[in-house]
């Protein structure tokens, strides 16, 4: 029964459009029969028929036009049997074992991951194409067996042996989301019959995908484990979590820092990554991640299960440590042709931005040297707020926190009344953990209103990290009261607009889980949580909670929702609550495009 529901939902868009076209033609035919069936056909009747034909033609053309969408062709380095024969044969072996249909192309990407997609060339028309995306870091990080397990997991989503109703629904989401985007972006006059349907249909697909996504992942895991081993998939998943952290927090930041001293991007970035990934991860680091993963909180609308849930589904336990896989990697060497080709492509992709960053850094170094020389010769006026602001920010960015602190301290000693020096001196003290910075920033607030938002925001963050929630709330209140004295701030925050910008909320899973429990107790049926971005006073963010309550909900129910979420998040943030319904379909559609926004 559930499979039938998914199939119906996946095909509902086609059925709706076809019904509109057939319905329009039937009405036109009936009107024509009525006209021509009468004894006399007057000129006005002929005009009416012509108008109806024109209207019907325009409607049908509009319907068909919205369905013809050129789907974007995947970009990237194409894997062939010639440039990586062993990897090609591995994928072919997987394809044969799990009855996976032929692929249009296999694309090597720069991400630490893999995926498969399928869609028609022109929205709902054209050839059905399938693509596999395999990340170069993924290929280099895993042993051959681990790589096979991960790729088998992805391929199983489209396997004939797999329950692929979910993936057909996912394909429908890709198609109809593109149809909606193309229609709303390019059509000046929008047809109510089309927009009202798409506003409801795409969110309905998303809701169904949320409901079945976890079981779909579990099923893919079991199929992947059946052609390799549960242990291989478990260790691969754990290794990817570790390496994702390493690449984002260590490897790529160090590579990006090279743009300061080197005019051109390195030609061997993936050779460097290969060598780095073959090093064993320290046992202490592994132990920290094992502890983190064992406590990871699962949220009801997360698209993927937690690592612990996945290995429990496989019937294995969490590994105590990971073995070094350097001798079992499919590429075997850091000078493999695929590594060289991807390094060359990466350099080409980042070359322009790299040169811009290098030129900007060198320009800032030159500016700082000039300012230093002027300061030494007393030809620069450090009491000028703009000049000093520029000087201290350049010093902090190029020479570090300590040099900036010494500059602020020196300038404050020579000019104790300089409010800008006092602000930066207090800021740098606070950022280094010195509580003296708190008193200095408070004095800055009382002497110079322009620093009110910045100082209160710094003090609030500092108090919050120390667990002083009530104190943090007071700083937030001061900042908010100050901001609300400006009409632009009040106007921007007074109501929700279609043009408002939202981003993913920044709450940890533990906090979201508490929010969900609190919302359930108030009778909330569905909820989205996002952060709202502002042009005025961006230092004071705002959570936006969109909820669907029971039909007979009262004002007291909404107040209970507000209190519940304020108590669970922290006392520091304002909550704007939106009621979901027919008038907020576009708002809900926009929220669904934001990662991790759906919490209930």
């Amino acid at each position: 029964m559930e499979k039938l529901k998914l199939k119906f939902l996946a095909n509902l868009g086609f059925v709706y459009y076809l019904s509109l076209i057939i319905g329009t033609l039937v009405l036109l035919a009936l009107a024509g029969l009525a006209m021509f069936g009468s004894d006399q056909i007057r000129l006005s009747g002929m005009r009416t028929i012509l108008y109806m034909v024109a209207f019907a033609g325009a409607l049908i053309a509009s319907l068909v036009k919205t369905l013809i969408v050129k789907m974007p062709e995947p970009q990237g380095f194409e894997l062939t049997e010639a440039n990586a024969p062993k990897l090609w044969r591995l994928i072919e072996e997987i394809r044969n074992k799990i009855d996976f249909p032929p692929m249009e192309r296999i694309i090597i990407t720069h991400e630490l991951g893999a995926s498969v997609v399928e869609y028609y060339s022109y929205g709902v028309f054209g050839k059905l194409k399938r693509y596999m995306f395999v990340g170069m870091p993924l290929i280099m990080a895993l042993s051959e067996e681990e790589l096979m397990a991960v790729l088998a997991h992805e391929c199983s989503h489209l396997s004939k042996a797999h329950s692929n109703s979910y993936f057909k629904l996912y394909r429908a989401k890709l198609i109809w989301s593109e149809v909606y985007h193309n229609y709303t972006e390019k059509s000046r006059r929008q047809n109510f019959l089309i927009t009202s349907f798409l506003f409801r249909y795409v969110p309905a697909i998303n809701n169904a995908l949320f409901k079945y996504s976890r079981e779909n992942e579990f099923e893919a895991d079991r199929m992947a484990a059946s052609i390799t081993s549960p242990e291989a998939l478990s260790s691969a998943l754990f290794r990817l979590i570790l390496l994702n952290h390493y690449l984002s927090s260590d490897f790529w930041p160090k590579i990006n820092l090279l743009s300061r001293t080197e005019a051109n991007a390195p030609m061997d970035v993936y050779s460097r990554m290969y060598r780095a990934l073959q090093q064993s991860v320290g046992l202490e680091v592994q132990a920290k991640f094992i502890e983190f993963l064992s406590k990871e909180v699962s949220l009801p609308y997360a698209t993927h299960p937690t690592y612990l849930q996945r290995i429990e589904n496989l019937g294995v336990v969490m590994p105590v440590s990971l073995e070094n896989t350097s001798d079992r990697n499919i590429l075997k060497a850091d000078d493999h042709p695929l590594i060289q080709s991807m390094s060359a492509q990466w350099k080409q992709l980042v070359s322009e931005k790299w040169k811009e960053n290098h030129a900007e850094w060198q320009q800032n170094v030159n500016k700082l040297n000039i300012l230093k020389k002027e300061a030494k010769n007393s030809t620069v006026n450090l009491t000028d707020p703009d000049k000093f602001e520029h000087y201290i920010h350049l010093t902090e960015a190029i020479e570090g926190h300590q040099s900036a602190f010494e500059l602020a301290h020196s300038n404050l000693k020579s000019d104790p009344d300089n409010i800008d020096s006092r602000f930066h001196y207090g800021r740098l003290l606070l950022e280094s953990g010195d509580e003296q910075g708190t008193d200095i920033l408070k004095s800055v607030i009382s002497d110079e209103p322009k620093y009110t938002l910045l100082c209160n925001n710094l003090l609030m963050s500092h108090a919050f990290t120390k667990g002083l929630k009530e104190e943090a709330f007071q700083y937030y209140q001061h900042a908010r009261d100050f901001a609300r004295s400006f009409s632009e701030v009040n106007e921007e925050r007074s109501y929700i607009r279609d043009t408002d910008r939202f981003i993913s909320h920044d709450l940890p899973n533990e906090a979201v889980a508490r929010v969900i429990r609190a919302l359930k107790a108030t009778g909330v049926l569905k909820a989205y949580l996002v952060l709202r971005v502002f042009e005025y006073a961006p230092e004071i963010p705002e959570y936006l909670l969109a909820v669907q309550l029971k039909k007979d909900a009262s004002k007291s129910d909404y107040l209970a929702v507000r209190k519940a979420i304020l108590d669970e998040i922290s006392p520091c943030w304002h909550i704007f609550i939106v009621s979901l319904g027919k008038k907020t379909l576009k708002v809900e559609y926009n929220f669904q495009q934001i990662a991790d926004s759906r919490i209930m």
Side-chain angles (χ1 to χ4, degrees):
M1 190 65 182
E2 292 298 331
K3 289 182 180 179
L4 287 175
K5 287 181 181 179
L6 291 180
K7 286 182 179 179
F8 172 76
L9 190 58
N11 293 301
L12 181 60
F14 307 106
V15 173
Y16 178 78
Y17 268 65
L18 188 60
S19 299
L20 285 179
I21 292 172
I22 293 174
T24 302
L25 292 174
V26 169
L27 288 175
L28 183 62
L30 291 174
L33 287 173
M35 289 287 184
F36 287 105
S38 61
D39 294 334
Q40 293 183 342
I41 302 176
R42 297 182 180 180
L43 183 60
S44 60
M46 291 297 295
R47 285 201 192 101
T48 302
I49 292 175
L50 290 174
Y51 287 145
M52 291 178 67
V53 169
F55 173 78
L59 177 59
I60 292 172
S62 174
L63 289 168
V64 174
K65 186 179 179 181
T66 61
L67 296 178
I68 303 175
V69 179
K70 174 64 175 171
M71 300 298 282
E73 190 72 17
Q75 301 298 313
F77 185 84
E78 185 171 356
L79 177 73
T80 65
E81 191 172 5
N83 58 33
K86 197 169 183 181
L87 179 57
W88 177 270
R89 287 194 295 271
L90 178 71
I91 294 173
E92 282 298 297
E93 182 183 349
I94 295 169
R95 198 171 72 79
N96 292 328
K97 282 186 175 181
I98 63 175
D99 200 12
F100 180 78
M103 285 171 284
E104 191 79 14
R105 293 166 66 199
I106 301 171
I107 308 295
I108 306 299
T109 71
H110 301 281
E111 310 299 324
L112 182 67
S115 62
V116 290
V117 297
E118 67 172 11
Y119 47 72
Y120 295 99
S121 305
Y122 293 92
V124 301
F125 302 109
K127 179 183 177 183
L128 181 61
K129 296 182 177 181
R130 300 177 186 88
Y131 300 92
M132 172 180 275
F133 301 91
V134 186
M136 192 66 207
L138 180 86
I139 298 169
M140 297 190 297
L142 303 180
S143 70
E144 187 171 337
E145 187 183 19
E146 289 172 339
L147 180 61
M148 188 175 190
V150 171
L151 297 183
H153 169 95
E154 296 302 327
C155 290
S156 67
H157 289 307
L158 289 180
S159 168
K160 294 176 183 177
H162 184 65
S163 174
N164 60 2
S165 300
Y166 174 90
F167 209 86
K168 288 180 179 178
L169 189 61
Y170 182 75
R171 183 177 69 206
K173 175 195 172 180
L174 293 178
I175 292 171
W176 290 102
S177 294
E178 193 67 27
V179 167
Y180 168 80
H181 176 74
N182 187 65
Y183 180 67
T184 54
E185 288 291 320
K186 296 182 180 179
S187 299
R188 293 182 180 179
R189 292 184 177 181
Q190 295 181 8
N191 190 308
F192 171 77
L193 293 173
I194 298 174
T195 54
S196 61
F197 171 73
L198 292 177
F199 274 152
R200 291 167 172 81
Y201 183 48
V202 176
I205 292 177
N206 284 329
N207 290 337
L209 288 173
F210 276 130
K211 185 177 180 181
Y212 296 103
S213 61
R214 291 193 181 203
E215 183 51 43
N216 184 65
E217 291 300 316
F218 286 144
E219 190 175 348
D221 280 349
R222 290 191 291 268
M223 187 172 289
S226 70
I227 68 167
T228 54
S229 71
E231 290 76 16
L233 182 57
S234 172
S235 64
L237 294 172
F238 186 37
R239 198 181 302 278
L240 291 178
I241 293 168
L242 278 173
L243 295 178
N244 181 57
H245 173 75
Y246 163 70
L247 291 176
S248 60
S249 64
D250 191 291
F251 181 82
W252 286 120
K254 286 179 178 176
I255 291 293
N256 292 333
L257 281 175
L258 294 176
S259 67
R260 297 179 175 183
T261 55
E262 298 181 14
N264 296 303
M267 295 184 63
D268 62 343
V269 68
Y270 281 114
S271 294
R272 299 184 190 200
M273 185 186 290
Y274 181 88
R275 292 191 293 271
L277 293 179
Q278 302 316 306
Q279 303 299 314
S280 297
V281 179
L283 293 177
E284 186 177 341
V285 175
Q286 292 188 41
K288 287 181 180 178
F289 271 90
I290 288 172
E291 183 181 4
F292 165 75
L293 292 173
S294 65
K295 297 177 180 178
E296 188 179 8
V297 175
S298 174
L299 298 178
Y301 275 87
T303 55
H304 283 67
T306 65
Y307 174 71
L308 199 59
Q309 289 172 327
R310 294 180 76 170
I311 63 173
E312 286 175 354
N313 172 62
L314 293 171
V316 295
V317 296
M318 192 178 295
V320 177
S321 63
L322 290 176
E323 298 177 2
N324 191 306
T325 61
S326 56
D327 60 333
R328 291 180 284 137
N329 184 268
I330 199 167
L331 300 180
K332 299 298 183 186
D334 63 2
D335 60 350
H336 189 282
L338 186 59
I339 291 178
Q340 293 178 337
S341 297
M342 287 300 290
S343 293
Q345 188 195 64
W346 178 85
K347 180 177 180 178
Q348 185 179 6
L349 286 172
V350 305
S351 183
E352 185 177 346
K353 184 63 178 176
W354 185 282
K355 289 178 179 178
E356 287 177 7
N357 291 343
H358 177 76
E360 183 181 359
W361 181 262
Q362 294 301 319
Q363 188 179 34
N364 285 335
V365 169
N366 292 335
K367 286 179 181 178
L368 180 59
N369 289 334
I370 292 170
L371 284 170
K372 279 184 171 183
K373 189 179 292 185
E374 290 177 349
K376 188 176 181 180
N377 298 331
S378 301
T379 58
V380 60
N381 180 15
L382 292 182
T383 60
D384 181 335
D386 293 334
K387 182 75 76 172
F388 177 72
E389 192 78 15
H390 190 48
Y391 190 7
I392 197 162
H393 280 304
L394 284 177
T395 302
E396 189 172 7
I398 294 170
E399 297 184 350
H401 182 279
Q402 184 59 33
S403 295
F405 174 77
E406 291 170 2
L407 173 61
H409 190 205
S410 172
N411 205 46
L412 189 61
K413 283 177 69 177
S414 60
D415 183 9
D417 295 327
N418 189 312
I419 195 71
D420 304 296
S421 298
R422 188 156 30 119
F423 165 72
H424 285 289
Y425 181 61
R427 172 182 69 83
L428 293 163
L429 276 173
L430 197 67
E431 288 174 357
S432 63
D434 192 327
E435 290 298 327
Q436 186 184 350
T438 300
D439 294 330
I440 294 174
L441 291 181
K442 285 180 179 179
S443 71
V444 171
I445 293 172
S446 62
D447 292 343
E448 179 50 72
K450 76 174 184 178
Y451 282 119
T452 299
L453 288 179
L454 282 173
C455 288
N456 275 299
N457 203 44
L458 288 166
L459 292 167
M460 180 188 68
S461 298
H462 179 68
F464 195 63
T465 55
K466 293 184 66 178
L468 305 173
K469 287 190 174 183
E470 293 304 320
E471 187 176 328
F473 180 61
Q474 290 175 8
Y475 292 129
Y476 171 75
Q477 289 281 45
H478 293 157
R480 192 175 68 174
D481 292 344
F482 176 79
R484 283 183 170 175
S485 64
F486 298 92
S487 59
E488 296 91 341
V489 175
N490 285 324
E491 173 67 21
E492 187 179 23
R493 295 171 185 245
S494 58
Y495 56 91
I496 305 295
R497 305 166 183 79
D498 288 343
T499 55
D500 283 344
R501 182 170 164 247
F502 304 99
I503 58 174
S504 299
H505 66 77
D506 55 358
L507 297 179
N509 282 3
E510 294 83 356
V512 177
R514 293 197 303 270
V515 169
I516 291 170
R517 286 195 295 269
L519 293 180
K520 283 182 177 178
T522 61
V524 171
L525 305 175
K526 180 166 60 174
Y528 297 86
L529 183 65
V530 296
L531 269 173
R532 193 177 177 192
V533 179
F534 295 106
E535 179 182 356
Y536 300 104
E539 301 90 346
I540 307 175
E542 179 180 84
Y543 284 106
L544 192 143
L545 179 70
V547 297
Q548 180 185 343
L549 281 168
K550 52 191 177 183
K551 290 184 178 180
D552 57 344
S554 63
K555 185 177 180 180
S556 61
D557 292 318
Y558 282 96
L559 292 175
V561 169
R562 179 187 296 277
K563 183 179 185 306
I565 193 169
L566 279 170
D567 288 344
E568 293 300 337
I569 293 179
S570 82
C572 296
W573 307 111
H574 177 63
I575 304 296
F576 196 106
I577 296 180
V578 175
S579 177
L580 294 174
K582 293 180 180 179
K583 294 182 179 179
T584 56
L585 288 174
K586 189 169 184 180
V587 171
E588 182 172 1
Y589 179 89
N590 291 337
F591 285 173
Q592 287 197 348
Q593 313 313 306
I594 301 171
D596 302 321
S597 62
R598 179 76 182 268
I599 62 172
M600 276 185 67

